[in-house]
Amino acid sequence: MQLFTVICVQSIASYLATCAFGIIFNIPFKPLLHGGLIGMIGWLIYFFLFQNTGSDLLATFAASLVIAMMSQVAARLWKNPVTLYSVSGIIPLVPGGLSYSVMSRAVDNNYDIAIYFAEKVFVLSGAIAMGLVLAEVIYQLVQKIKEMVPQKTDNRIFLSKK
């Protein structure tokens, strides 16, 4: 029961956070709701992967890859720009708390800890960027393959009687 409660709280919080940042970015209402769902799914992927593997790098990369791929699909499905979905959807993964820790430790002259946290921020930010880029590359490859595969023609046109 406790795990179910944690998952529900994580889901609601990530959905609301994603939608809140979408409001800040002036995203229209329908894409805002869809983007919130994408951000929530991405956060749940991160949450479960981190719980099972203990690797925040792997969890962040996988979640950002899924978010970017879902953003590509949502953009085509609802005829909106990809950035409406990917920018707001990626917000729950951004290491803002760690960035704050870097600045806080640097101000307190704890440079060793600040450098450790800064390294982690750069690595996680790189994982987010790589997930977004890889999803775009995969999408472009799929489009190229679709162009190369010959499309089926409707044979009924050629079978008509004269």
Side-chain angles (χ1 to χ4, degrees), residues 84-141:
L84 283 182
Y85 304 106
S86 63
V87 170
S88 62
I90 213 76
I91 289 297
L93 299 179
V94 173
L98 279 176
S99 299
Y100 174 79
S101 295
V102 170
M103 292 297 117
S104 176
R105 299 308 190 273
V107 168
D108 291 341
N109 293 329
N110 294 331
Y111 298 116
D112 293 338
I113 300 171
I115 289 172
Y116 170 76
F117 283 143
E119 175 190 7
K120 199 166 190 168
V121 167
F122 286 129
V123 167
L124 293 178
S125 299
I128 291 170
M130 291 304 296
L132 293 172
V133 168
L134 184 61
E136 180 66 30
V137 168
I138 289 170
Y139 178 77
Q140 294 296 327
L141 284 173

Side-chain angles (χ1 to χ4, degrees), residues 57-102:
L57 175 64
L58 174 67
T60 301
F61 174 74
S64 66
L65 180 67
V66 170
I67 287 169
M69 292 175 101
M70 287 190 310
S71 296
Q72 291 282 351
V73 171
R76 300 312 178 266
L77 188 62
W78 291 300
K79 295 177 177 59
N80 287 315
V82 176
T83 54
L84 283 182
Y85 304 106
S86 63
V87 170
S88 62
I90 213 76
I91 289 297
L93 299 179
V94 173
L98 279 176
S99 299
Y100 174 79
S101 295
V102 170

